[in-house]
Amino acid sequence: AETHAVAWLVENRLPRFQATLALVNANEDRDAFHLHPTIPHYVHGCRRRARQLGYALDEFWLHEPDLSPQRWLAILRARNIRGILIVGLMQRNRLPARLAPLWEALPAVVTGVRTREPELSFACCDHHALALAAFEEAMALGYRRPALVLDGVIDELIEGRFTAGFLTGQRRFLPAGGRTQPFHEVARAREDLSSFTNWLHQTKPDVIFTLYHDVRKWLRRLGVKVPDEVGLIQYEWREDHSEWAGMDQRNDIVGEAAMDMLVSMIHHNERGVPAVPRATLVGSRWVPGSTVRAEAAPA
């Protein structure tokens, strides 16, 4: 019993404190770390990995109106912060140009997306592989006319990788005459459903890939039964809608990966915008659910 107790203490003891890092909320919403449907998963992974490695995290909001770049740097230096984790970019993949001195002074890693200005190292879900894997699952269930509903802003943010995976699936599995065009006017459809209605009637999908639970409500309003008439597959499966079939992006693991990248940069004394940005892509997993048919339909 004593041997087991010692082993448990060794395995679960807190690591020696290493340093403090900045966990920066880059979302326009100051409360996104708590209220956003996706961002808290990244944050949970960052915190978990930081705790495992002996790092403390101080939280900041990127859009704090009263902080000049000089004030930012003064605060970071006063707290002896050694690196920056950027989380929460959901509308754009560019960081404020005025804060360039921060990325030059400290190593920085972005979580969730690839940034363009500046081009920093990042960790994110492998969106292309996810979309292709979801397509393969749909094929295995016997669907033969898949379609994609995805907001154009999100598609632009991730550089079209969801759409690319979907189109790759179509080319790989379907004849040219059986392929569909994605629907990207999600914001417009939320105001006026007619654009989605017209697309649905023209496209006639038997399964829809999407990021939005709104699509099920739209189909219900149009009298379309799920999954009897149209199946639904979520590109970001979440526990609060666990009945959906979809792909678990494992965004908490993305947060862990970003933390590992930042710690490596600190250990190698790297700072400034990298000449060759690095990426860590995290695989997803399929989660079955009641929004798709239970088994493959007869050919």
Side-chain angles (χ1 to χ4, degrees):
E2 184 177 348
T3 301
H4 287 300
V6 171
W8 185 91
L9 288 171
V10 170
E11 183 178 346
N12 293 276
R13 66 185 178 184
L14 292 176
R16 181 171 60 86
F17 174 74
Q18 301 294 326
T20 302
L21 307 175
L23 184 63
V24 176
N25 173 12
N27 195 265
E28 287 74 10
D29 183 0
R30 185 191 292 267
D31 297 320
F33 277 8
H34 310 286
L35 302 180
H36 194 276
T38 299
I39 295 170
H41 297 285
Y42 295 126
V43 174
H44 177 69
C46 291
R47 288 174 174 158
R48 182 172 62 205
R49 195 69 175 136
R51 186 168 57 250
Q52 292 170 350
L53 297 176
Y55 287 84
L57 296 176
D58 280 2
E59 294 184 12
F60 298 87
W61 186 41
L62 186 70
H63 307 287
E64 195 68 60
D66 299 328
L67 287 186
S68 66
Q70 295 72 26
R71 182 62 179 153
W72 267 99
L73 288 172
I75 293 173
L76 296 178
R77 287 166 181 159
R79 300 188 185 183
N80 197 29
I81 286 174
R82 300 283 305 282
I84 302 173
L85 273 172
I86 302 165
V87 184
L89 288 168
M90 289 289 166
Q91 298 297 321
R92 56 183 60 86
N93 57 6
R94 287 163 170 79
L95 296 167
R98 68 184 186 86
L99 297 181
L102 274 65
W103 330 129
E104 294 296 338
L106 292 169
V109 173
V110 181
T111 303
V113 299
R114 180 202 307 265
T115 54
R116 285 296 202 173
E117 297 175 3
E119 292 189 60
L120 299 174
S121 295
F122 68 98
C124 73
C125 161
D126 190 339
H127 302 99
H128 184 278
L130 179 151
L132 185 54
F135 204 102
E136 292 169 349
E137 292 289 346
M139 291 291 101
L141 288 170
Y143 291 108
R144 291 299 177 263
R145 194 161 176 80
L148 174 63
V149 174
L150 180 69
D151 190 285
V153 173
I154 295 296
D155 198 40
E156 182 70 20
L157 181 70
I158 62 173
E159 300 170 314
R161 290 192 290 275
F162 273 152
T163 297
F166 169 75
L167 295 177
T168 299
Q170 288 200 124
R171 287 194 300 270
R172 183 174 295 179
F173 295 105
L174 299 176
R179 300 169 191 172
T180 62
Q181 290 299 314
F183 179 81
H184 290 312
E185 300 177 1
V186 172
R188 178 181 173 186
R190 287 187 172 123
E191 300 295 329
D192 179 2
L193 197 56
S194 61
S195 58
F196 174 78
T197 304
N198 293 335
W199 171 86
L200 186 72
H201 289 162
Q202 292 172 6
T203 305
K204 297 180 173 59
D206 58 2
V207 65
I208 294 174
F209 305 106
T210 189
L211 279 173
Y212 317 107
H213 298 115
D214 292 344
V215 176
R216 188 172 193 176
K217 299 175 184 177
W218 298 348
L219 294 175
R220 187 180 297 121
R221 283 174 56 184
L222 297 173
V224 178
K225 297 179 181 178
V226 176
D228 298 344
E229 296 175 273
V230 176
L232 289 174
I233 294 176
Q234 246 280 8
Y235 273 176
E236 187 188 352
W237 180 88
R238 295 194 291 265
E239 290 182 354
D240 60 349
H241 286 78
S242 59
E243 76 280 6
W244 277 65
M247 303 300 296
D248 180 1
Q249 295 186 8
R250 293 171 166 169
N251 286 324
D252 59 328
I253 307 300
V254 174
E256 289 187 352
M259 176 63 64
D260 288 339
M261 294 176 73
L262 183 59
V263 169
S264 176
M265 293 170 71
I266 293 171
H267 287 175
H268 290 88
N269 199 31
E270 298 176 22
R271 64 187 64 206
V273 177
V276 182
R278 285 168 287 180
T280 297
L281 301 181
V282 174
S284 56
R285 68 181 181 94
W286 169 254
V287 181
S290 62
T291 57
V292 293
R293 58 177 63 132
E295 59 185 19

